[in-house]
């Protein structure tokens, strides 16, 4: 039997949220599991509360007179004050205003929030921008996309998206084994019924809605029956959210200063014959359109993603610099070279953001979309591990062995810690917190997760490189090279005959 949603996660809210609005909205009856137990209210559960509180804190900044002009905009259609990331960008100034707002969101999370509302809201904007193409897929789908975008924007919803299919047998075709991909099993007058699973849905336990769209891999296998784009509240009956083990939940005080605040949680979504109402369906069975749309609807999110990555690099660079200073190696040439490498990465990311603005184009719906960033996204994935390695190399063994707060408070241990675990012009307690921060950023479960995230969240790296290669227009340069190699390799010369040998 199919199921359909019964509760609207917006709870009648209109306009930008407060932190308390956000906390209350998560108690919506969703089917959420952690470690075999069902969680009824993620906002109050110890595994989720710190990250919920962190997002709530940033939501409150939207109402702060200092930040509201940057983080919000007045929608002329509804008259409501909405989140800046939802604003349709029609001019370069609109685009740069969205950039400045995202910079604030992502600076507040030190670049650790990959699924920040600043990121996901821009995908809803991308879907809105693509609505005319979706309308060609089936009458009403474009209107559905516009209505969903407006619903998300006016209710200031926290969104996530579900792209990846289960890792069951990637060598097989989903046509032969339907469990390999989410699929439509029924159509009726109410909507479509979907069955299957999606991974890796970051932020799902603390988001309101999920946007489901096809991963690029299956569009290339001509499995058209698996092509479905839709959106659902995360409390939809039959939609089950299974969380991974949380990070930073251990009671070790300052040992996890980042994980304790910024662990977004990743989840598997199981669709147990879920009814998706027709007004929440955006695309069906058109693999070519899905391939085109995948890039189009992510134009703004890719741009915002660079802003987030720049903030992460800035955090890594500052941490590495402080580590070097704390142990007196900041003047060493090899250490300065490593810091210079990380500083170069940070500046390069700034160039990519500027280039996306400089190459912005007007779409068929009249919005100004950031220019393509595919090559710079590949570069970001390629250098991610190297950026983390700089921090690890400078901190070296020190990031592995640092005292806890309880160690620092122990009367027997403290004199030894002050004598042997201090740094250069930095006391033992502050140095230990700095090195614990570096460990949390690069080495522990949270740090390793963040490192892996940088590598995988931009999509399959090999496929992205191949796509960039295939779209290169080499016609002109190949033509010149063909002319160059069509004749002798160098000037033609007459053989020299010595004077005495002439007849």
């Amino acid at each position: 039997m199919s199921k359909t949603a019964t509760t609207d996660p917006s709870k009648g809210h209109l306009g930008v949220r407060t932190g308390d609005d956000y906390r209350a909205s998560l108690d919506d009856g969703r089917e959420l599991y952690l470690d075999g137990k069902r969680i009824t209210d993620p906002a109050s559960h110890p595994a989720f509360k710190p990250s919920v509180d962190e997002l709530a804190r940033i939501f409150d900044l939207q109402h702060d007179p200092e930040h509201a002009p940057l983080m919000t905009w007045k929608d002329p259609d509804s008259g409501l004050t909405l989140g800046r990331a939802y604003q349709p960008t029609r001019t370069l100034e609109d685009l740069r205003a969205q950039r400045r707002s995202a910079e604030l969101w992502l600076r507040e999370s030190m670049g650790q929030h990959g699924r920040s509302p600043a990121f996901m809201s821009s995908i809803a904007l991308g879907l809105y921008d693509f609505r005319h193409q979706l309308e060609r897929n089936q009458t009403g789908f474009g209107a559905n996309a516009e209505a969903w975008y407006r619903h998300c924007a006016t209710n200031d919803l926290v969104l996530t998206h579900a792209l990846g299919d289960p890792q069951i047998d990637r060598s097989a075709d989903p046509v032969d084994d339907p469990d390999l991909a989410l699929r439509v099993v029924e159509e009726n007058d109410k909507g479509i019924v979907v069955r299957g699973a999606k991974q890796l849905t970051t932020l799902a336990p603390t988001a309101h809605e999920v946007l489901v769209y096809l991963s690029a891999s299956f569009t290339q296998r001509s499995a058209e029956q698996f092509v479905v784009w839709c959106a659902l509240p995360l409390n939809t009956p039959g939609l089950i959210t299974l969380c991974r083990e949380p990070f930073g939940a251990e009671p070790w005080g300052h040992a996890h200063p980042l994980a304790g605040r910024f662990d977004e949680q990743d989840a598997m979504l199981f669709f147990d014959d879920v009814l998706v109402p027709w007004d929440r369906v955006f695309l069906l069975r058109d693999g070519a359109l899905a391939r085109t749309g995948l890039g189009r609807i992510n134009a703004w999110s890719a741009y915002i993603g660079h802003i987030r990555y720049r903030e992460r690099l800035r955090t890594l660079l500052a941490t590495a610099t402080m580590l070097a200073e704390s142990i007196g190696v900041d003047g060493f040439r090899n250490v300065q070279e490593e810091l210079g490498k990380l500083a170069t990465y940070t500046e390069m990311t700034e160039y990519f953001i500027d280039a996306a603005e400089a190459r912005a184009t007007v779409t068929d719906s009249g919005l100004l979309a950031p220019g393509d960033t595919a090559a710079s996204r590949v570069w970001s994935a390629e250098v991610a591990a190297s950026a983390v390695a700089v921090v690890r190399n400078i901190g070296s063994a020190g990031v592995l062995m640092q005292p806890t707060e309880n160690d620092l408070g122990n009367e027997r241990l403290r004199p030894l810690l002050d004598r042997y675990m201090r740094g250069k012009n930095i006391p033992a307690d502050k140095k230990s917190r700095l090195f614990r921060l570096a460990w949390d950023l690069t080495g522990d479960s949270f740090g390793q997760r963040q490192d892996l995230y940088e590598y995988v969240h931009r999509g399959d790296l090999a496929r992205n490189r191949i796509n960039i290669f295939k779209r290169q227009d080499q016609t002109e340069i190949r033509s010149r090279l063909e002319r160059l190699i069509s004749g002798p390799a160098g000037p033609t010369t007459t053989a020299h005959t010595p004077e005495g040998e002439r007849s």
Side-chain angles (χ1 to χ4, degrees):
M1 180 180 294
S2 63
K3 303 96 176 171
T4 190
T6 56
T7 304
D8 187 339
S10 69
K11 291 183 178 283
H13 180 90
L14 291 175
V16 290
R17 289 184 180 273
T18 65
D20 286 342
D21 290 332
Y22 171 57
R23 292 184 185 92
S25 68
L26 297 177
D27 186 10
D28 60 4
R30 66 187 63 200
E31 194 169 357
L32 173 65
Y33 292 90
L34 173 65
D35 195 29
K37 299 180 179 64
R38 183 167 181 178
I39 309 301
T40 56
D41 180 16
S44 62
H45 191 278
F48 307 107
K49 186 178 185 302
S51 60
V52 169
D53 287 345
E54 192 62 31
L55 273 181
R57 180 185 66 82
I58 304 176
F59 270 120
D60 281 337
L61 294 181
Q62 296 183 120
H63 301 270
D64 186 317
E66 179 183 352
H67 300 299
L70 180 62
M71 300 180 73
T72 65
W73 67 291
K74 190 68 170 289
D75 176 26
D77 294 329
S78 66
L80 296 170
T81 299
L82 307 179
R84 177 74 70 180
Y86 284 112
Q87 180 183 5
T89 55
R90 304 185 187 281
T91 67
L92 186 58
E93 182 50 43
D94 289 343
L95 199 58
R96 288 175 174 164
Q98 193 180 85
R99 169 179 175 169
R100 292 191 296 271
S101 177
E103 284 172 342
L104 194 154
W105 272 95
L106 298 163
R107 186 168 61 246
E108 289 294 318
S109 63
M110 301 183 194
Q112 304 307 305
H113 271 169
R115 288 297 170 273
S116 164
F119 174 87
M120 278 305 307
S121 301
S122 68
I123 295 182
L125 175 62
L127 190 76
Y128 167 75
D129 176 61
F130 198 58
R131 66 193 184 280
H132 301 303
Q133 302 297 325
L134 298 172
E135 188 69 18
R136 295 192 180 103
N137 177 233
Q138 189 164 313
T139 302
F141 282 179
N144 291 349
E146 179 172 359
W148 183 72
Y149 153 77
R150 295 194 183 282
H151 168 68
C152 295
T154 57
N155 291 287
D156 206 12
L157 297 186
V158 177
L159 308 176
T160 184
H161 59 179
L163 299 177
D165 294 288
Q167 290 177 308
I168 298 173
D169 183 357
R170 292 291 170 89
S171 69
D173 195 301
V175 174
D176 301 320
D177 184 353
D179 286 340
L180 297 180
L182 186 74
R183 65 194 186 279
V184 178
V185 295
E186 180 187 337
E187 293 185 24
N188 56 46
D189 57 346
K190 294 182 179 180
I192 61 173
V193 179
V194 294
R195 180 186 302 164
K198 282 286 186 181
Q199 69 171 45
L200 181 65
T201 312
T202 300
L203 201 66
T206 53
H208 296 119
E209 298 225 4
V210 58
L211 175 64
V212 178
Y213 49 113
L214 190 71
S215 67
S217 57
F218 283 134
T219 66
Q220 295 172 355
R221 298 184 188 182
S222 301
E224 303 279 296
Q225 65 266 44
F226 296 93
V227 180
V228 54
W229 287 15
C230 61
L232 287 169
L234 282 153
N235 66 344
T236 299
L239 179 54
I240 301 165
T241 304
L242 174 64
C243 304
R244 59 154 167 78
E245 178 183 359
F247 303 141
E250 300 90 344
W252 302 121
H254 67 277
H256 299 280
L258 296 178
R261 297 170 60 192
F262 302 125
D263 182 15
E264 295 181 297
Q265 256 294 345
D266 306 297
M268 286 288 294
L269 296 184
F270 301 108
F271 296 78
D272 187 19
D273 287 13
V274 175
L275 175 64
V276 183
W278 280 117
D279 64 0
R280 289 304 195 92
V281 181
F282 311 130
L283 187 152
L284 280 177
R285 300 187 178 87
D286 189 337
L289 184 61
R291 282 192 292 275
T292 300
L294 193 63
R296 274 285 302 276
I297 73 172
N298 284 290
W300 285 268
S301 67
Y303 169 68
I304 300 301
H306 279 309
I307 296 171
R308 197 272 317 160
Y309 190 49
R310 184 195 61 192
E311 288 303 313
R312 173 166 166 80
L313 289 173
R314 289 179 70 239
T315 301
L316 288 167
L317 175 59
T319 302
T321 304
M322 293 169 70
L323 288 176
E325 292 170 349
S326 75
I327 56 176
V329 299
D330 52 307
F332 293 6
R333 180 178 173 85
N334 64 310
V335 172
Q336 290 183 348
E337 182 183 10
E338 286 290 286
L339 292 171
K341 179 197 300 183
L342 198 41
T344 300
Y345 294 164
T346 305
E347 287 205 21
M348 287 291 291
T349 309
E350 185 79 14
Y351 300 156
F352 297 147
I353 300 168
D354 291 342
E357 293 174 358
R359 299 172 68 175
T361 57
V362 178
T363 69
D364 57 9
S365 74
L367 300 190
L368 186 70
D372 181 74
T373 58
S376 52
R377 294 198 304 273
V378 167
W379 175 89
S380 298
E382 289 173 338
V383 304
S386 177
V388 169
V390 171
V391 181
R392 290 178 181 156
N393 291 344
I394 293 175
S396 190
V399 298
L400 295 175
M401 179 56 228
Q402 290 296 327
T404 68
E405 289 290 345
N406 288 334
D407 292 332
L408 291 164
N410 185 287
E411 293 182 1
R412 175 74 175 95
L413 292 174
R414 185 58 188 258
L416 298 171
L417 300 179
D418 287 338
R419 184 173 184 180
Y420 297 113
M421 300 198 75
R422 60 189 169 87
K424 179 184 179 182
N425 300 321
I426 183 172
D429 54 355
K430 189 174 180 180
K431 180 190 171 188
S432 74
R433 292 168 188 145
L434 171 61
F435 273 73
R436 288 287 187 178
L437 171 64
W439 174 244
D440 202 29
L441 186 62
T442 66
D444 70 359
S445 54
F446 176 76
Q448 292 292 327
R449 184 268 177 196
Q450 298 298 84
D451 189 19
L452 180 60
Y453 174 86
E454 295 300 344
Y455 186 78
V456 303
H457 90 97
R458 297 175 180 87
D460 181 85
L461 191 55
R463 183 191 67 227
N464 292 341
R465 289 187 184 118
I466 292 169
N467 288 340
I468 292 170
F469 162 69
K470 287 183 175 180
R471 75 182 191 190
Q472 289 292 306
D473 184 358
Q474 301 184 49
T475 305
E476 188 272 338
I477 184 62
R478 285 176 62 99
S479 176
R480 286 194 286 126
L481 292 175
E482 286 286 351
R483 291 196 300 271
L484 188 63
I485 66 175
S486 294
T492 303
T493 60
T494 303
H496 176 70
T497 304
E499 186 70 26
E501 294 181 9
R502 291 178 182 174
S503 57

